[in-house]
Amino acid sequence: MLISQRSKETIDACRFCWMCRHVCPIGNATGQERNTARARALTLSLVERGAAPLTDVIDNVYECALCGGCTNNCMTGWDPVKFTKEVRLEAIQNGEAPEYINKLLDNIEAAGNVYGITETAAEITNLISALPTQADTLLYLGTDVRCKNPAYAVDAAAVLQKAGVTFTVLKDEPDSGAALEFLAGEAEETRQTAEACAKVLGGYKKVIVLDPADAKIMKHEYREWDVAPDCEIVTFTKLLSGLIADGTLVPQKLPVKAAYQDAFALVRDLDEVEDPRVIMNACTNLTEMLLNRKEMIWGGNTLMTEYMPDVIRLVAKNRWANAAHIGAKLLVVASPSEYVALASVKPEDMELMSVPELVLASL
Ligand code: SF4
Ligand code: SF4
C-alpha cells in the first residue's frame, strides 16, 4: 500500500494488545473483534504483505467512526485513525472503495452534500430570511445541521439573539469538507473543498461553528493544508460558555438529573473539555457519564447511518444505556449529527436535548 511509513509502522505494531477495545463504540455495538483497532491493523498488515487484497477488508476500514477513542487510549502512542484515513484514500484512488461509499461521494459531487439533498429545509430558509444579510459574524451551520437537523440551527440562532449577538447565516453555505475528509481522507478534492470554504469564511471577522466536526477540520486540517482563513473561528459551545461566564446569559437551573454526551471532536481534537460543562452546570444538574471527557464513547452520527444504520442504532442504544446507568433523565448533546442518531432510539422514559435547546429552556 502507498500509505505513510508511520501508518505502516502502526499496522505492524498495533496488533499485540486490546487495551483500547473497551472504548470502541463500533466494537462494543457489534461485539465483533474485527471492529477493533487491533483487528483492523492485523487485516491491513495482511494486505501490506500481499496476503489479501484490499477489497477483502475495505468494508471493515469504513466501519470505523474515526472517533479517536483508540488513539486516545493507546499507551504506546499509535494512531489507528491515521492509517484508516490513509487506506480510505488509497482505496478511492485505486477504485477499490465499496459501492455504497462511491454513492456518497457521488452525492457530494452532484448535490454538494453527502446525503444528496437538493432542497433547503424550510426552517433554514425562514431563519435566513429573518437575519441580516450582512454582518461581521457568520453562524456556520454545516451540512449535517442543514440536511438532517435544522431545528439545531433555529435553536442556536435564538440563543445568540437572546445574547444580543448580531450575525448572519449563508443561504449558499459552502461545505466544510468534513464528510469528504471522513470518506476519502486528505484527497485533492477534500483540499479543494476546504480551500473554497475557507475563502468564504475569510470574508468575516468571526465565524461561530455549530458542528464540532466542522470546527475540527477548520481549526486543524485547514491549518495543516495552509488554507486557514484570516478570521476568528470559535465553536458554538465555547462562545456560549463565555456568554454565560461573563453574565450575558443567565440561565436558571432546570431541576433534572442530566448527563452530557461529549462530542469527540471537541474533547479529543479541539481540547474543549470544560466549556460544555460550564453550560451544563449553569443550566442543570450535571451527572457525568462513567466514561466522559476524552474517555467518552461516541453515540453515532448521520453519515454512518447512511451505510450502516443497524450498527449505528446499536451504538446509540449503548450510549442511552450508559446514561440510564447513572440515573440520568436527560441527555444533552453538542453534536447535531450525534443528536439525530440518539434521537432515533430515545427511550420513552428519558429526554434528549441539544445544547442550544437546553440553554433556551433554561433562560
Ligand atoms: S491502538 Fe494501541 S491500545 Fe489499541 S490495540 Fe493498538 S496498540 Fe493496543
Ligand atoms: S477510531 Fe473509534 S471507531 Fe475507530 S477503531 Fe478507534 S475507537 Fe473504534
Side-chain angles (χ1 to χ4, degrees):
M1 289 187 289
L2 297 171
I3 57 176
S4 65
Q5 189 55 35
R6 177 68 179 169
S7 285
K8 286 182 181 175
E9 285 167 15
T10 308
I11 61 174
D12 263 345
C14 162
R15 54 197 175 101
F16 299 106
C17 84
W18 279 286
M19 297 300 285
C20 62
R21 192 188 202 180
H22 65 293
V23 294
C24 179
I26 306 289
N28 286 351
T30 64
Q32 292 186 20
E33 198 58 45
R34 60 181 258 139
N35 291 129
T36 62
R38 171 191 179 274
R40 189 165 296 113
L42 188 57
T43 53
L44 288 172
S45 73
L46 293 175
V47 175
E48 179 61 14
R49 282 164 176 72
L54 182 55
T55 46
D56 274 9
V57 301
I58 195 62
D59 288 325
N60 181 271
V61 173
Y62 278 98
E63 285 163 7
C64 172
L66 307 183
C67 73
C70 48
T71 307
N72 178 63
N73 220 63
C74 183
M75 291 301 162
T76 34
W78 299 113
D79 182 4
V81 170
K82 184 173 168 58
F83 73 66
T84 306
K85 286 204 275 193
E86 288 184 7
V87 172
R88 287 179 184 184
L89 174 59
E90 178 157 341
I92 284 169
Q93 286 176 337
N94 294 346
E96 294 175 315
E99 209 33 58
Y100 52 85
I101 297 299
N102 288 332
K103 183 174 171 295
L104 298 177
L105 293 169
D106 290 346
N107 284 347
I108 294 177
E109 202 175 333
N113 65 75
V114 74
Y115 308 105
I117 292 174
T118 49
E119 297 283 311
T120 304
E123 296 99 314
I124 302 289
T125 306
N126 294 340
L127 171 66
I128 291 171
S129 63
L131 293 171
T133 51
Q134 304 222 320
D136 288 342
T137 299
L138 173 71
L139 176 63
Y140 182 88
L141 307 184
T143 295
D144 288 349
V145 169
R146 296 177 84 97
C147 294
K148 294 289 179 178
N149 195 351
Y152 205 103
V154 174
D155 290 341
V159 172
L160 294 180
Q161 284 168 330
K162 280 186 183 285
V165 178
T166 303
F167 62 96
T168 188
V169 169
L170 287 169
K171 184 168 176 286
D172 296 315
E173 186 182 84
D175 183 49
S176 70
L180 261 179
E181 210 251 338
F182 179 86
L183 296 170
E186 196 184 327
E188 186 50 32
E189 290 79 1
T190 316
R191 282 169 166 272
Q192 286 172 4
T193 303
E195 193 167 6
C197 184
K199 267 196 189 133
V200 174
L201 303 187
Y204 296 87
K205 283 188 181 157
K206 183 176 192 164
V207 179
I208 304 165
V209 185
L210 262 193
D211 189 330
D214 293 320
K216 178 242 167 197
I217 191 171
M218 288 171 186
K219 285 166 100 59
H220 274 200
E221 279 78 5
Y222 283 21
R223 279 185 199 152
E224 267 176 34
W225 302 339
D226 206 18
V227 298
D230 183 20
C231 64
E232 181 191 356
I233 293 178
V234 61
T235 61
F236 180 71
T237 38
K238 187 170 230 6
L239 182 96
L240 215 53
S241 77
L243 292 170
I244 289 172
D246 70 12
T248 305
L249 291 173
V250 187
Q252 305 297 310
K253 276 181 189 267
L254 301 178
V256 58
K257 190 168 175 179
Y260 169 64
Q261 171 62 5
D262 280 287
F264 73 75
L266 287 181
V267 287
R268 292 184 183 140
D269 297 297
L270 299 175
D271 218 13
E272 293 186 13
V273 178
E274 296 308 322
D275 294 305
R277 289 174 168 75
V278 170
I279 301 167
M280 289 296 296
N281 284 318
C283 297
T284 183
N285 299 306
L286 171 62
T287 304
E288 292 284 4
M289 296 278 218
L290 289 181
L291 287 173
N292 62 64
R293 297 178 167 84
K294 287 183 193 261
E295 301 298 315
M296 57 80 66
I297 295 190
W298 178 71
N301 70 8
T302 51
L303 202 168
M304 290 183 78
T305 298
E306 291 291 301
Y307 63 93
M308 41 193 288
D310 294 343
V311 172
I312 297 307
R313 283 174 69 83
L314 288 173
V315 165
K317 276 186 179 171
N318 279 350
R319 208 48 180 152
W320 275 114
N322 295 156
H325 181 71
I326 56 165
K329 292 292 168 205
L330 167 68
L331 183 59
V332 181
V333 187
S335 157
S337 176
E338 202 165 11
Y339 178 101
V340 176
L342 288 161
S344 72
V345 291
K346 186 184 85 60
E348 278 184 5
D349 59 343
M350 295 177 79
E351 294 303 321
L352 177 67
M353 279 186 173
S354 68
V355 166
E357 204 177 356
L358 172 71
V359 175
L360 270 186
S362 60
L363 284 176

Tab-separated table of all heavy atoms in Angstrom, residues 112 140 142-144 173-181 189-198 201 209 211 213-218 221-222 225 227:
chain	number	residue	atom	x	y	z
A	112	GLY	N	-23.624	18.614	-3.490
A	112	GLY	CA	-22.850	19.429	-2.555
A	112	GLY	C	-22.933	18.916	-1.125
A	112	GLY	O	-22.417	19.550	-0.202
A	140	TYR	N	-21.947	29.515	11.124
A	140	TYR	CA	-21.770	28.453	10.138
A	140	TYR	C	-22.542	27.226	10.615
A	140	TYR	O	-22.232	26.652	11.657
A	140	TYR	CB	-20.280	28.131	9.957
A	140	TYR	CG	-20.032	27.074	8.898
A	140	TYR	CD1	-19.866	27.426	7.559
A	140	TYR	CD2	-20.014	25.729	9.229
A	140	TYR	CE1	-19.685	26.454	6.585
A	140	TYR	CE2	-19.823	24.756	8.264
A	140	TYR	CZ	-19.660	25.126	6.944
A	140	TYR	OH	-19.485	24.166	5.978
A	142	GLY	N	-23.313	24.187	8.825
A	142	GLY	CA	-22.741	22.885	8.471
A	142	GLY	C	-23.760	21.984	7.784
A	142	GLY	O	-24.974	22.131	7.945
A	143	THR	N	-23.236	21.046	7.040
A	143	THR	CA	-24.073	20.168	6.214
A	143	THR	C	-25.037	19.325	7.043
A	143	THR	O	-26.204	19.167	6.691
A	143	THR	CB	-23.164	19.244	5.380
A	143	THR	OG1	-22.426	20.064	4.478
A	143	THR	CG2	-23.968	18.226	4.598
A	144	ASP	N	-24.563	18.767	8.146
A	144	ASP	CA	-25.431	17.871	8.923
A	144	ASP	C	-26.604	18.633	9.544
A	144	ASP	O	-27.712	18.112	9.653
A	144	ASP	CB	-24.621	17.137	10.005
A	144	ASP	CG	-23.703	16.079	9.387
A	144	ASP	OD1	-23.856	15.794	8.183
A	144	ASP	OD2	-22.829	15.560	10.096
A	173	GLU	N	-24.275	28.220	1.785
A	173	GLU	CA	-23.126	27.948	2.648
A	173	GLU	C	-22.228	26.883	2.004
A	173	GLU	O	-22.716	25.833	1.598
A	173	GLU	CB	-23.652	27.450	3.994
A	173	GLU	CG	-22.600	27.255	5.043
A	173	GLU	CD	-23.221	26.721	6.337
A	173	GLU	OE1	-23.412	25.493	6.432
A	173	GLU	OE2	-23.511	27.529	7.224
A	174	PRO	N	-20.926	27.126	1.912
A	174	PRO	CA	-20.047	26.108	1.323
A	174	PRO	C	-19.846	24.942	2.291
A	174	PRO	O	-19.865	25.122	3.504
A	174	PRO	CB	-18.737	26.861	1.101
A	174	PRO	CG	-18.749	27.959	2.111
A	174	PRO	CD	-20.181	28.331	2.339
A	175	ASP	N	-19.668	23.764	1.724
A	175	ASP	CA	-19.400	22.571	2.532
A	175	ASP	C	-17.997	22.686	3.145
A	175	ASP	O	-17.063	23.137	2.479
A	175	ASP	CB	-19.502	21.334	1.632
A	175	ASP	CG	-19.303	20.047	2.392
A	175	ASP	OD1	-19.940	19.877	3.430
A	175	ASP	OD2	-18.491	19.215	1.951
A	176	SER	N	-17.851	22.273	4.384
A	176	SER	CA	-16.546	22.411	5.053
A	176	SER	C	-15.511	21.408	4.559
A	176	SER	O	-14.311	21.589	4.735
A	176	SER	CB	-16.711	22.231	6.566
A	176	SER	OG	-17.024	20.871	6.852
A	177	GLY	N	-15.996	20.302	3.980
A	177	GLY	CA	-15.077	19.222	3.582
A	177	GLY	C	-14.994	18.123	4.629
A	177	GLY	O	-14.274	17.137	4.444
A	178	ALA	N	-15.744	18.272	5.731
A	178	ALA	CA	-15.641	17.279	6.818
A	178	ALA	C	-16.076	15.882	6.355
A	178	ALA	O	-15.429	14.883	6.688
A	178	ALA	CB	-16.479	17.731	8.014
A	179	ALA	N	-17.155	15.803	5.582
A	179	ALA	CA	-17.627	14.486	5.122
A	179	ALA	C	-16.633	13.870	4.139
A	179	ALA	O	-16.341	12.674	4.206
A	179	ALA	CB	-19.003	14.621	4.476
A	180	LEU	N	-16.102	14.703	3.260
A	180	LEU	CA	-15.100	14.209	2.304
A	180	LEU	C	-13.868	13.705	3.039
A	180	LEU	O	-13.288	12.681	2.684
A	180	LEU	CB	-14.678	15.333	1.354
A	180	LEU	CG	-15.316	15.374	-0.034
A	180	LEU	CD1	-14.790	16.565	-0.812
A	180	LEU	CD2	-15.060	14.076	-0.798
A	181	GLU	N	-13.481	14.430	4.073
A	181	GLU	CA	-12.296	14.028	4.821
A	181	GLU	C	-12.545	12.692	5.518
A	181	GLU	O	-11.661	11.848	5.605
A	181	GLU	CB	-11.939	15.104	5.848
A	181	GLU	CG	-10.456	15.190	6.163
A	181	GLU	CD	-10.133	14.685	7.550
A	181	GLU	OE1	-11.024	14.663	8.411
A	181	GLU	OE2	-8.983	14.311	7.783
A	189	GLU	N	-9.616	16.515	-3.701
A	189	GLU	CA	-10.980	17.082	-3.666
A	189	GLU	C	-11.299	17.628	-2.272
A	189	GLU	O	-11.989	18.629	-2.133
A	189	GLU	CB	-12.029	16.010	-4.035
A	189	GLU	CG	-12.025	15.579	-5.483
A	189	GLU	CD	-10.910	14.588	-5.808
A	189	GLU	OE1	-10.139	14.210	-4.891
A	189	GLU	OE2	-10.798	14.194	-6.981
A	190	THR	N	-10.795	16.946	-1.251
A	190	THR	CA	-11.045	17.419	0.122
A	190	THR	C	-10.363	18.770	0.326
A	190	THR	O	-10.958	19.713	0.860
A	190	THR	CB	-10.505	16.413	1.164
A	190	THR	OG1	-10.856	15.091	0.784
A	190	THR	CG2	-11.055	16.707	2.537
A	191	ARG	N	-9.138	18.858	-0.129
A	191	ARG	CA	-8.392	20.121	-0.004
A	191	ARG	C	-9.076	21.249	-0.774
A	191	ARG	O	-9.181	22.375	-0.279
A	191	ARG	CB	-6.978	19.965	-0.580
A	191	ARG	CG	-5.993	19.251	0.315
A	191	ARG	CD	-4.749	18.941	-0.511
A	191	ARG	NE	-3.640	18.557	0.316
A	191	ARG	CZ	-2.765	19.424	0.850
A	191	ARG	NH1	-2.895	20.702	0.629
A	191	ARG	NH2	-1.783	18.988	1.599
A	192	GLN	N	-9.531	20.926	-1.975
A	192	GLN	CA	-10.174	21.977	-2.785
A	192	GLN	C	-11.477	22.444	-2.128
A	192	GLN	O	-11.784	23.637	-2.117
A	192	GLN	CB	-10.463	21.451	-4.195
A	192	GLN	CG	-9.216	21.345	-5.045
A	192	GLN	CD	-9.464	20.644	-6.378
A	192	GLN	OE1	-10.596	20.296	-6.711
A	192	GLN	NE2	-8.402	20.427	-7.134
A	193	THR	N	-12.211	21.508	-1.567
A	193	THR	CA	-13.457	21.866	-0.867
A	193	THR	C	-13.137	22.748	0.346
A	193	THR	O	-13.806	23.754	0.600
A	193	THR	CB	-14.202	20.585	-0.412
A	193	THR	OG1	-14.441	19.786	-1.568
A	193	THR	CG2	-15.517	20.911	0.255
A	194	ALA	N	-12.093	22.356	1.068
A	194	ALA	CA	-11.680	23.133	2.249
A	194	ALA	C	-11.253	24.547	1.839
A	194	ALA	O	-11.629	25.540	2.471
A	194	ALA	CB	-10.529	22.418	2.954
A	195	GLU	N	-10.502	24.628	0.778
A	195	GLU	CA	-9.988	25.927	0.327
A	195	GLU	C	-11.145	26.843	-0.085
A	195	GLU	O	-11.166	28.034	0.255
A	195	GLU	CB	-9.020	25.717	-0.842
A	195	GLU	CG	-8.210	26.946	-1.153
A	195	GLU	CD	-7.039	26.647	-2.075
A	195	GLU	OE1	-6.915	25.507	-2.574
A	195	GLU	OE2	-6.241	27.577	-2.291
A	196	ALA	N	-12.117	26.271	-0.804
A	196	ALA	CA	-13.262	27.073	-1.249
A	196	ALA	C	-14.061	27.570	-0.038
A	196	ALA	O	-14.500	28.724	0.005
A	196	ALA	CB	-14.148	26.240	-2.168
A	197	CYS	N	-14.211	26.712	0.959
A	197	CYS	CA	-14.959	27.107	2.157
A	197	CYS	C	-14.193	28.187	2.926
A	197	CYS	O	-14.770	29.192	3.350
A	197	CYS	CB	-15.194	25.886	3.048
A	197	CYS	SG	-16.194	26.235	4.499
A	198	ALA	N	-12.887	27.973	3.061
A	198	ALA	CA	-12.062	28.933	3.809
A	198	ALA	C	-12.109	30.324	3.167
A	198	ALA	O	-12.110	31.340	3.867
A	198	ALA	CB	-10.622	28.428	3.867
A	201	LEU	N	-15.286	31.907	4.412
A	201	LEU	CA	-15.185	32.232	5.849
A	201	LEU	C	-14.302	33.455	6.054
A	201	LEU	O	-14.533	34.262	6.966
A	201	LEU	CB	-14.616	31.044	6.642
A	201	LEU	CG	-15.361	29.707	6.555
A	201	LEU	CD1	-14.742	28.699	7.531
A	201	LEU	CD2	-16.847	29.862	6.830
A	209	VAL	N	-19.043	28.248	14.766
A	209	VAL	CA	-19.265	26.961	14.089
A	209	VAL	C	-20.130	26.065	14.973
A	209	VAL	O	-19.759	25.740	16.104
A	209	VAL	CB	-17.908	26.282	13.764
A	209	VAL	CG1	-18.146	25.014	12.951
A	209	VAL	CG2	-17.000	27.237	12.994
A	211	ASP	N	-21.278	22.841	14.367
A	211	ASP	CA	-20.992	21.403	14.418
A	211	ASP	C	-19.515	21.184	14.763
A	211	ASP	O	-18.635	21.640	14.023
A	211	ASP	CB	-21.319	20.792	13.050
A	211	ASP	CG	-21.271	19.279	13.076
A	211	ASP	OD1	-20.498	18.709	13.862
A	211	ASP	OD2	-22.018	18.654	12.294
A	213	ALA	N	-17.665	18.758	14.264
A	213	ALA	CA	-16.927	18.103	13.170
A	213	ALA	C	-16.417	19.140	12.171
A	213	ALA	O	-15.305	19.018	11.640
A	213	ALA	CB	-17.829	17.088	12.470
A	214	ASP	N	-17.219	20.174	11.909
A	214	ASP	CA	-16.765	21.250	11.020
A	214	ASP	C	-15.664	22.075	11.695
A	214	ASP	O	-14.680	22.445	11.063
A	214	ASP	CB	-17.936	22.169	10.652
A	214	ASP	CG	-18.974	21.467	9.799
A	214	ASP	OD1	-18.576	20.699	8.902
A	214	ASP	OD2	-20.177	21.673	10.035
A	215	ALA	N	-15.867	22.360	12.976
A	215	ALA	CA	-14.858	23.161	13.702
A	215	ALA	C	-13.517	22.450	13.715
A	215	ALA	O	-12.462	23.075	13.561
A	215	ALA	CB	-15.336	23.417	15.133
A	216	LYS	N	-13.564	21.139	13.847
A	216	LYS	CA	-12.319	20.353	13.890
A	216	LYS	C	-11.548	20.487	12.582
A	216	LYS	O	-10.350	20.764	12.578
A	216	LYS	CB	-12.675	18.899	14.189
A	216	LYS	CG	-11.498	17.970	14.225
A	216	LYS	CD	-11.629	16.917	13.159
A	216	LYS	CE	-10.351	16.162	12.958
A	216	LYS	NZ	-10.325	15.432	11.704
A	217	ILE	N	-12.207	20.320	11.455
A	217	ILE	CA	-11.468	20.397	10.189
A	217	ILE	C	-11.004	21.842	9.931
A	217	ILE	O	-9.897	22.070	9.454
A	217	ILE	CB	-12.296	19.831	8.999
A	217	ILE	CG1	-11.397	19.684	7.763
A	217	ILE	CG2	-13.512	20.653	8.652
A	217	ILE	CD1	-12.040	18.941	6.605
A	218	MET	N	-11.831	22.811	10.311
A	218	MET	CA	-11.443	24.214	10.076
A	218	MET	C	-10.241	24.613	10.927
A	218	MET	O	-9.370	25.344	10.487
A	218	MET	CB	-12.619	25.147	10.405
A	218	MET	CG	-13.744	25.073	9.397
A	218	MET	SD	-15.176	25.998	9.999
A	218	MET	CE	-16.378	25.588	8.739
A	221	GLU	N	-7.227	20.730	10.087
A	221	GLU	CA	-6.772	20.407	8.733
A	221	GLU	C	-6.591	21.652	7.865
A	221	GLU	O	-5.656	21.709	7.068
A	221	GLU	CB	-7.739	19.412	8.065
A	221	GLU	CG	-7.525	17.963	8.481
A	221	GLU	CD	-8.100	17.619	9.840
A	221	GLU	OE1	-8.768	18.486	10.446
A	221	GLU	OE2	-7.874	16.492	10.320
A	222	TYR	N	-7.472	22.667	8.015
A	222	TYR	CA	-7.280	23.876	7.198
A	222	TYR	C	-5.885	24.461	7.456
A	222	TYR	O	-5.227	24.933	6.542
A	222	TYR	CB	-8.328	24.940	7.529
A	222	TYR	CG	-9.707	24.711	6.939
A	222	TYR	CD1	-10.121	23.453	6.535
A	222	TYR	CD2	-10.609	25.767	6.798
A	222	TYR	CE1	-11.394	23.245	6.014
A	222	TYR	CE2	-11.881	25.574	6.264
A	222	TYR	CZ	-12.273	24.309	5.887
A	222	TYR	OH	-13.531	24.115	5.367
A	225	TRP	N	-3.195	22.235	5.895
A	225	TRP	CA	-3.201	22.345	4.433
A	225	TRP	C	-2.933	23.771	3.966
A	225	TRP	O	-3.035	24.079	2.779
A	225	TRP	CB	-4.555	21.860	3.870
A	225	TRP	CG	-4.892	20.454	4.248
A	225	TRP	CD1	-4.024	19.467	4.658
A	225	TRP	CD2	-6.194	19.845	4.287
A	225	TRP	NE1	-4.699	18.306	4.938
A	225	TRP	CE2	-6.032	18.496	4.716
A	225	TRP	CE3	-7.483	20.292	3.994
A	225	TRP	CZ2	-7.099	17.615	4.868
A	225	TRP	CZ3	-8.553	19.413	4.132
A	225	TRP	CH2	-8.364	18.094	4.567
A	227	VAL	N	-4.658	26.503	4.284
A	227	VAL	CA	-5.767	27.240	3.680
A	227	VAL	C	-6.608	27.947	4.755
A	227	VAL	O	-7.724	28.405	4.476
A	227	VAL	CB	-6.688	26.301	2.839
A	227	VAL	CG1	-5.923	25.684	1.688
A	227	VAL	CG2	-7.349	25.226	3.718
